[in-house]
Amino acid sequence: MLNAEVAKRRDEAISRGVGMMTQIYADRALNSEVWDIEGNRYIDFAAGIAVVNTGHCHPKVMAAVANQMTKFTHTCHQVMPYENYIRLAERLNDKVPGPWKKKTIFVTTGAEACENAIKIARIATGRDAVIAFGGSFHGRTFMGMALTGKVEPYKKGFGSMMPGVFHVPFPMGPQGISTKDALAGIEKLFKADLDPARVAAIIFEPVQGEGGFNPAPTDLVKAIRALCDQHGIVMIADEVQTGFARTGHLFAMESHGVAADLTTMAKGLAGGLPLAAVTGKAELMDAANPGGLGGTYAGNPLGIAAANAVLDVIEEEDLCARANELGSRLKQRLEAIRSTAPEIVDIRGPGFMVAVEFANPGTKEPDAGFTGRVRLEALKRGLLLLTCGVYGNVVRFLAPITIPDAHFAEAMDILEASIAAARQG
């Protein structure tokens, strides 16, 4: 088979609404390497959008899934429960930041996790309004779209969003938006449009993912915590992309010295299998009546088995420390490249959740065209990169945290050559 042949079939069979970054079709993968159906090899700096943090086909994760497959693949936990579901919940209750008693629910996707966190906050508080941030991404369901702070492509053409959702600015250094601006946005909202006594939740990403890998400053996180405490609002940390060692901590909120009331997670939780969760204060998590939370596939046994193995791998291989080491090396290399590439205006992100932002050296305007050329030049050389950001001018680096040193070094050489080629093009 050829990629072009399958691409033609894809165009005939799959909705155009499912976006495609490449027309390269995967055949097999191992750790940080992927081979397409034509036998071409790529170094994967996408990891399925921060999903396979423990690498493609990690042997311990694969063994756990294979073992579970010999027993059963589905009973629906609400019909006939299973012990490893409870064990994973116990582990998350212990590991998610916060000194209080916690409980957990499992669902299937990150959007579902965020949606359920809002449901929990609403029923626990008896309120309906939610505050989210510009540049955020929380999913493609209607509540997820409403929470997301980016119109195109996520909201465009889909009509009215869910009511009761309000957006305020999120700090973005290159765009000149500060913590002060974000807090002023909330204050203005409370003065002009929204009684804080109506607000059920404030939801934010500790590091914005799709929005451009903008880290939430600690002073903002602490200010949100104080506002939530003052007004009885539920603080929700969306750790769907930041979770599971990506930022140098198991959860990004660990670096801020305060904890959210509810934490959403997915992506890296189950090493490639669809599994998501909400973990939070027990009294909030118990607010819904039996049957109000859950789902047919929520906490699928294969995903649960994989997630327990993922947590083991993170601990045994000390992947939090590995993420900090790799992130430091990546930033050093990007700083060296910046000396010959004035298009680089910012290098940011904690741990191995690093991004580089590009702008036109003359006008200082965000340069999505240059960013796209960097991605395509890298792809031609065998390196898979992702772009993101409100202006499409950011490359985010999401290689598996288990990437071997030799592959990392190879990827850095490709990245440098790709930026140089993009400058000439």
Side-chain angles (χ1 to χ4, degrees):
M1 285 188 294
L2 297 176
N3 284 308
E5 294 171 349
V6 180
K8 184 176 180 180
R9 290 166 51 199
R10 184 263 178 199
D11 289 343
E12 293 295 323
I14 305 298
S15 166
R16 62 185 289 270
V18 180
M20 296 279 288
M21 192 190 73
T22 75
Q23 290 291 346
I24 295 168
Y25 290 82
D27 178 61
R28 61 189 176 92
L30 183 64
N31 200 347
S32 59
E33 297 174 286
V34 179
W35 289 265
D36 72 8
I37 57 175
E38 296 178 8
N40 301 305
R41 168 191 175 260
Y42 298 87
I43 300 175
D44 186 2
F45 263 54
I49 316 181
V51 168
V52 287
N53 290 350
T54 52
H56 292 283
C57 300
H58 191 288
K60 185 155 192 169
V61 177
M62 298 295 281
V65 174
N67 180 59
Q68 181 61 48
M69 286 181 68
T70 67
K71 297 177 178 179
F72 60 93
T73 62
H74 180 75
T75 63
C76 183
H77 190 265
Q78 293 103 287
V79 175
M80 192 172 188
Y82 27 97
E83 181 275 336
N84 60 348
Y85 179 113
I86 296 164
R87 176 158 35 97
L88 181 60
E90 290 170 338
R91 296 177 77 176
L92 292 178
N93 293 341
D94 178 62
K95 293 178 182 298
V96 167
W100 39 74
K101 178 176 172 56
K102 295 186 281 291
K103 290 190 175 182
T104 291
I105 64 164
F106 293 110
V107 286
T108 308
T109 69
E112 233 187 318
C114 291
E115 189 124 345
N116 276 275
I118 300 302
K119 287 170 60 177
I120 292 164
R122 282 182 165 181
I123 196 168
T125 63
R127 306 172 180 185
D128 65 339
V130 182
I131 297 173
F133 288 86
S136 62
F137 179 79
H138 300 288
R140 291 180 176 87
T141 60
F142 261 97
M143 177 55 77
M145 287 191 295
L147 296 171
T148 292
K150 187 177 180 181
V151 171
E152 195 168 353
Y154 305 114
K155 302 183 186 184
K156 188 173 182 178
F158 289 115
S160 299
M161 295 293 108
M162 294 289 289
V165 177
F166 301 82
H167 288 90
V168 295
F170 191 85
M172 300 180 188
Q175 281 70 50
I177 304 172
S178 66
T179 294
K180 183 178 178 181
D181 297 321
L183 295 176
I186 297 175
E187 183 179 0
K188 181 179 178 182
L189 191 62
F190 286 167
K191 293 289 185 184
D193 294 306
L194 181 62
D195 179 357
R198 266 192 61 207
V199 180
I202 299 177
I203 185 169
F204 71 100
E205 299 160 276
V207 183
Q208 288 193 333
E210 169 63 19
F213 276 28
N214 301 296
T218 294
D219 57 351
L220 174 65
V221 176
K222 289 184 174 180
I224 294 172
R225 179 72 271 173
L227 280 169
C228 289
D229 291 340
Q230 178 183 353
H231 297 290
I233 298 168
V234 176
M235 181 181 184
I236 303 173
D238 178 350
E239 294 248 23
V240 167
Q241 193 161 160
T242 55
F244 302 100
R246 175 57 56 183
T247 65
H249 296 280
L250 192 63
F251 295 99
M253 284 295 290
E254 293 175 48
S255 67
H256 293 299
V258 295
D261 300 308
L262 301 176
T263 298
T264 65
M265 63 204 87
K267 291 193 182 292
L269 172 58
L273 276 73
L275 183 68
V278 183
T279 298
K281 286 183 174 179
E283 62 267 27
L284 298 176
M285 298 296 294
D286 280 342
N289 294 316
L293 305 173
T296 301
Y297 292 103
N300 173 269
L302 301 181
I304 293 288
N308 275 306
V310 163
L311 290 178
D312 291 341
V313 170
I314 290 172
E315 293 173 4
E316 293 165 5
E317 300 185 17
D318 198 5
L319 293 190
C320 290
R322 177 67 172 165
N324 284 322
E325 175 193 348
L326 289 168
S328 176
R329 286 160 55 185
L330 174 55
K331 287 178 180 177
Q332 289 174 24
R333 187 63 175 267
L334 287 168
E335 289 291 355
I337 295 170
R338 175 150 48 177
S339 65
T340 58
E343 291 84 359
I344 295 178
V345 294
D346 197 25
I347 299 164
R348 58 178 178 265
F352 203 28
M353 191 172 181
V354 175
V356 60
E357 182 162 348
F358 297 104
N360 185 289
T363 65
K364 307 302 181 185
E365 293 295 316
D367 196 337
F370 181 85
T371 308
R373 292 200 302 274
V374 170
R375 183 185 71 80
L376 291 173
E377 289 289 348
L379 192 63
K380 287 194 297 186
R381 292 165 171 79
L383 176 62
L384 184 62
L385 297 177
L386 292 175
T387 58
C388 65
V390 174
Y391 302 100
N393 66 321
V394 178
V395 170
R396 51 178 159 171
F397 301 97
L398 287 170
I401 306 169
T402 52
I403 184 172
D405 286 341
H407 296 163
F408 180 82
E410 183 183 354
M412 292 300 95
D413 290 343
I414 293 173
L415 175 64
E416 184 166 0
S418 300
I419 292 174
R423 297 195 71 234
Q424 295 172 1

